Amino acid sequence: MILAVFTIGGILTIATLLANVLLVKMTAKESRSCYYPNIFLVLVGLLLLGVASIAPKVDLLGAGFGGWGIAALFSAAIGFIITSIIDAYQNVTA
């Protein structure tokens, strides 16, 4: 189960980073829309963790709702860090 959560988290992280890099490159410097995929993953992760505490055991691709929630929150955290670094270097005026 732990391997499934790591795999799901890694795949979500790669997908989120690709979306974030595209949004950073395509939007204006003042826009913060590049962070929207990460905010969405945080909300989905918290929702899945909440459902995991109420719903009976459900297995989706080797992980339950709690595993999916943890993977989504992990992906959002890594996405926030890397996107903020890319956004900071994109907005440098030196």
Side-chain angles (χ1 to χ4, degrees):
M1 181 172 150
I2 293 173
L3 183 62
V5 172
F6 285 151
T7 304
I8 293 165
I11 292 170
L12 285 175
T13 301
I14 291 170
T16 304
L17 287 177
L18 288 175
N20 291 341
V21 168
L22 285 174
L23 285 172
V24 166
K25 298 291 182 184
M26 292 174 47
T27 58
K29 290 184 178 184
E30 295 82 21
S31 176
R32 299 292 173 236
S33 64
C34 59
Y35 298 104
Y36 290 163
N38 297 325
I39 294 169
F40 175 73
L41 276 178
V42 167
L43 294 175
V44 168
L46 292 174
L47 179 69
L48 286 171
L49 284 176
V51 169
S53 65
I54 297 171
K57 177 71 174 143
V58 177
D59 225 12
L60 299 170
L61 299 174
F65 286 139
W68 277 89
I70 291 169
L73 290 173
F74 167 78
S75 173
I78 298 298
F80 270 125
I81 293 168
I82 295 176
T83 304
S84 65
I85 292 170
I86 292 171
D87 190 30
Y89 280 112
Q90 186 75 20
N91 293 330
V92 170
T93 56

